[in-house]
C-alpha cells in the first residue's frame, strides 16, 4: 500500500480507478472471458490498456488468469471471489446510474 486510506470508499475506489476496470468487472461478472472477447465487449479499449489493467487486476487478486495448455493455447480471465465481492458492491452504483442515465447525459452535455 502506497498510502493509508482515509475510508473504505477510498480503498474501494483505489481498486477500480479509471474508466476501464469497472467495465472489465462488468464484462467478467457472469463468465470467464478470453482477451479478444473483452476487447469486443469494450469498444475503445486499446490492447495495451487492456493488457495493463488485466495484469494490475490479477496482481490485486480481483481477476484470475488461467492458461490452458492445449494445441492452440488459450487464456481465460475470470473474477476471483474477491473480484465478485467487488462487483456485488458496485451493483447499487450501477442501478443508480441506470436510473439517472438520461439526467446524467443531460447535465454532462456540452453547452
Amino acid at each position: 500500500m502506497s498510502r493509508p486510506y482515509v475510508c473504505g470508499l477510498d480503498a474501494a475506489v483505489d481498486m477500480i480507478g479509471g474508466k476501464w476496470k469497472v467495465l472489465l468487472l462488468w464484462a467478467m461478472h457472469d463468465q470467464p472471458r478470453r482477451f479478444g472477447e473483452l476487447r469486443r465487449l469494450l469498444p475503445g479499449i486499446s490492447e495495451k490498456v487492456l493488457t495493463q489493467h488485466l495484469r494490475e487486476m490479477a496482481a490485486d487478486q480481483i481477476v484470475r488468469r488461467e492458461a490452458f495448455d492445449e494445441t492452440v493455447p488459450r487464456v481465460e480471465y475470470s473474477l476471483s471471489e474477491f473480484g465478485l465481492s467487488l462487483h456485488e458492491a458496485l451493483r447499487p452504483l450501477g442501478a443508480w446510474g441506470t436510473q439517472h442515465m438520461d439526467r446524467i447525459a443531460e447535465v454532462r452535455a456540452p453547452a
Side-chain angles (χ1 to χ4, degrees):
M1 181 171 73
S2 59
R3 63 180 175 80
Y5 293 115
V6 175
C7 64
L9 189 56
D10 187 21
V13 169
D14 188 39
M15 296 297 286
I16 56 168
K19 170 184 179 179
W20 297 111
K21 286 185 181 178
V22 174
L23 297 176
L24 283 165
L25 279 169
W26 166 80
M28 290 183 278
H29 82 276
D30 59 345
Q31 67 185 53
R33 303 282 185 179
R34 295 174 72 176
F35 188 90
E37 285 181 282
L38 292 169
R39 284 222 43 211
R40 284 188 294 279
L41 286 169
L42 304 174
I45 192 169
S46 70
E47 190 170 316
K48 177 184 175 183
V49 169
L50 178 55
T51 299
Q52 177 184 349
H53 283 341
L54 287 170
R55 284 183 183 150
E56 290 171 4
M57 293 171 81
D60 288 339
Q61 300 178 1
I62 294 171
V63 168
R64 188 177 316 117
R65 180 186 188 275
E66 187 173 2
F68 296 88
D69 188 22
E70 299 173 343
T71 306
V72 177
R74 154 175 79 100
V75 175
E76 289 184 346
Y77 298 90
S78 60
L79 295 183
S80 64
E81 291 211 17
F82 189 46
L84 286 169
S85 71
L86 180 56
H87 176 265
E88 285 303 311
L90 291 170
R91 278 180 165 237
L93 184 60
W96 181 88
T98 299
Q99 181 180 354
H100 299 288
M101 199 176 298
D102 291 338
R103 183 176 181 179
I104 295 167
E106 182 181 308
V107 300
R108 292 291 181 110

